[in-house]
Amino acid sequence: MSKKGKPKICICLSGKTIEENLRILERYRAVVDYVELRADCLEPSERFNIRSFPEKAQLPCILTIRRKQDGGNFEDGEGVRLVLFAKALSFPKPDAKANYAFVDLEDDFRTPVIEEACHTFGTRIVRSHYFHDGIPENFGAAYEQIAQEDDEIPKLVVNPQSSADFIRFLEWAIRVPKREHLLIATGAYGIVSRVLAWRFGSMWTYASPLHSGMEIAAPGHFDPFDLRNIYNFDLVNEQTELYSLIGQHSILASLSPYLHNKAFREMGKDALLVPTPVDSFADGLKILELLGGKGAAITVPFKEDVLPFLAFHSTDVKRIGACNTLVRRGDAWAGYNTDADGFERSLLEFLGKQDLSGCRATIIGAGGAAKSIALALFRKGARCLVLNRTYSAGRDLARKYNFLYSHLDDRASDLISEYSDILVQATSVGMREELDPISFYEFKGSEVVFDLIYHPSKTLLLKRAEEAGCRVLNGYKMLCYQAAGQYKLWMDEPPPDIYAQLEQPKFS
Ligand code: ATR
């Protein structure tokens, strides 16, 4: 954690001109602490103007001229790079703000003349080492190598290829003695090291101005506004209680961190939900435990994999056979499921009803999500038809509640017509592509159509249903209400209204 007690953000500017970089910096000035000029991204003619950048930026600046082999754009050779560094660091001005505060020099770029200039003029050296392809066994030795000088800031960057790789890095990073350093894991597997840079003892986290249309400077960067507004960078501290969102890479598009972290902020909770993309639930749990986390939200496809790890299963977990919420109880984990309640609340609210007796509904899908929907519809008295691509899975789910079942193809058309008060789409079809799992079915216009997908906010199915005159609903409210249930379990108090009030953000 940095001196002022809150984590710092360094914005990486990779524009083609100094002017473009400064224009973008203006939009972010209020939310960033440091600026990195990626001089290797500048047009060659602009590179000769880098000396003037700190004075114009008026924030502590880091100069980086990243070589091609280290993931940057600089290809003109070490001689030219040396000249550029020398030019940028020379002629120091009395006002320190007009000089570079830091310069990023790779481990193999040991140039006494540049180092001398840095020492004389008060520019601190960030001594970096990159592992671009995975994490070798002896990566700790590379850190020892770059951490030799007390006045330098060692920066180790690794690129985990799996969640197991990331766990190795995390286990090491937790043990390494704290000092001013930067420990970064890139890409989706390394997200935790960026959102929780402060837990790694990193002096700052690097971010890219993505909302301003600038290219991402390194894989895994967030936009600085998201670090402030979604990950509460202005609030979190060493005592902050951590919760994980455990799922596959698709969780990076999830709105759960946005919702929960807004609620934590609003209620003054010193807590944070962090997305943890992993290859297996066991890896997600390991990361959660290494971070000392208090709970987790679990999503596709791990809601069933979590069951063997639970010391306590709630009634809904037992009935549904899936768990979406973990709560730490002493040394063990208790598992709950808030999906059925979240679905029920959003559907009844939409319909303006208290129960569904007399309603006939079709459930499309028989996976984890569909299992929660089936329980909720059963509890509220609806009679249902289950359609699934894999016939046996649809049959098994339907039999639990004495529902009808059928194939997910045009053989089901007439049956859907009979069970068409409410249609619930609970497969992943339509999430990534414009696909409609019941394209064979012609809407009458009287159906209520509920697609659990909220990203995109209107799937092809919902568009088609709406055009036919149906009332349609996506999964955003269900997400909010199942999240409200998670808050209640984690905080042991009623959830704030924010879960019911927050509109679906435009970006989803
Ligand atoms: P979730 O927890 O989101 O429900 P899941 O348990 O993997 O995820 O279930 C996915 C559901 O989407 C299943 O009903 C699956 O059908 P199968 O049982 O036949 O696998 C359904 N599904 C996924 N891809 C599909 C596709 N391309 N066409 C039809 N159904 C699909």
Side-chain angles (χ1 to χ4, degrees), residues 12 157-160 184-196 205-210 215-224 226-227 231 233 252 275 277:
C12 298
V157 183
V158 298
N159 180 14
I184 301 162
T186 62
Y189 290 116
I191 289 295
V192 169
S193 76
R194 300 209 186 263
V195 176
L196 300 182
T205 199
Y206 289 94
S208 289
L210 304 175
E215 269 183 34
I216 194 161
H221 278 193
F222 285 87
D223 183 276
D226 291 345
L227 291 173
Y231 296 105
F233 253 57
L252 295 175

Side-chain angles (χ1 to χ4, degrees), residues 166-167 170 192 276 278 283-291:
F166 178 68
I167 288 170
L170 178 60
V192 169
T276 314
V278 284
D283 281 356
L285 189 65
K286 177 89 184 164
I287 293 170
L288 180 67
E289 289 180 345
L290 283 169
L291 293 170

Side-chain angles (χ1 to χ4, degrees), residues 31-51:
V31 293
V32 300
D33 306 281
Y34 299 101
V35 189
E36 181 187 49
L37 176 66
R38 282 284 304 274
D40 52 296
C41 300
L42 292 169
E43 281 168 2
S45 60
E46 283 283 305
R47 289 178 184 158
F48 294 98
N49 302 325
I50 57 180
R51 176 67 193 88

Side-chain angles (χ1 to χ4, degrees), residues 404-421:
L404 276 188
Y405 51 93
S406 181
H407 295 274
L408 179 55
D409 57 33
D410 53 8
R411 282 173 282 182
S413 280
D414 291 344
L415 270 176
I416 300 179
S417 254
E418 282 179 45
Y419 284 78
S420 62
D421 295 326

Side-chain angles (χ1 to χ4, degrees), residues 122-370:
T123 299
R124 291 193 67 189
I125 294 173
V126 175
R127 184 66 70 183
S128 54
H129 191 105
Y130 284 76
F131 288 113
H132 283 291
D133 302 313
I135 311 181
E137 282 307 319
N138 62 343
F139 71 94
Y143 178 83
E144 300 298 321
Q145 173 74 20
I146 55 178
Q148 280 174 8
E149 303 295 335
D150 286 343
D151 57 347
E152 294 188 354
I153 301 162
K155 171 184 173 186
L156 184 68
V157 183
V158 298
N159 180 14
Q161 304 293 305
S162 63
S163 42
D165 262 1
F166 178 68
I167 288 170
R168 267 199 306 127
F169 180 66
L170 178 60
E171 281 175 326
W172 169 84
I174 288 170
R175 285 196 317 265
V176 79
K178 293 278 179 283
R179 62 172 281 176
E180 288 187 314
H181 62 196
L182 295 153
L183 304 180
I184 301 162
T186 62
Y189 290 116
I191 289 295
V192 169
S193 76
R194 300 209 186 263
V195 176
L196 300 182
W198 41 286
R199 285 293 294 267
F200 286 69
S202 290
M203 285 178 77
W204 56 74
T205 199
Y206 289 94
S208 289
L210 304 175
H211 297 331
S212 289
M214 198 171 253
E215 269 183 34
I216 194 161
H221 278 193
F222 285 87
D223 183 276
F225 281 111
D226 291 345
L227 291 173
R228 290 282 158 140
N229 300 334
I230 301 179
Y231 296 105
N232 294 346
F233 253 57
D234 53 336
L235 295 179
V236 289
N237 58 62
E238 271 155 12
Q239 278 72 48
T240 299
E241 291 190 341
L242 296 177
Y243 295 83
S244 292
L245 169 63
I246 300 177
Q248 284 183 331
H249 287 197
S250 55
I251 59 167
L252 295 175
S254 167
L255 289 175
S256 288
Y258 163 79
L259 281 173
H260 281 306
N261 293 334
K262 273 240 178 321
F264 294 156
R265 171 187 285 267
E266 168 141 326
M267 299 308 288
K269 299 289 175 199
D270 197 0
L272 191 74
L273 182 81
V274 184
T276 314
V278 284
D279 303 318
S280 67
F281 174 74
D283 281 356
L285 189 65
K286 177 89 184 164
I287 293 170
L288 180 67
E289 289 180 345
L290 283 169
L291 293 170
K294 301 284 182 209
I298 299 151
T299 184
V300 189
F302 302 134
K303 288 182 183 178
E304 291 168 29
D305 297 353
V306 49
L307 299 178
F309 296 87
L310 300 178
F312 166 83
H313 303 65
S314 72
T315 314
D316 272 9
V317 167
K318 284 185 200 148
R319 296 195 76 176
I320 298 166
C323 161
N324 78 333
T325 311
L326 275 189
V327 183
R328 181 117 211 152
R329 300 254 187 262
D331 286 340
W333 293 104
Y336 299 84
N337 195 315
T338 64
D339 284 336
D341 284 350
F343 169 76
E344 187 178 304
R345 185 174 163 198
S346 61
L347 178 65
L348 294 181
E349 186 180 84
F350 185 73
L351 297 174
K353 290 189 170 196
Q354 298 292 324
D355 78 279
L356 300 172
S357 47
C359 264
R360 287 173 169 241
T362 295
I363 303 169
I364 305 156

Side-chain angles (χ1 to χ4, degrees), residues 300 304 365-370 388-390 393 408 426-429:
V300 189
E304 291 168 29
N388 196 46
R389 178 181 60 179
T390 306
L408 179 55
T427 75
S428 46
V429 180

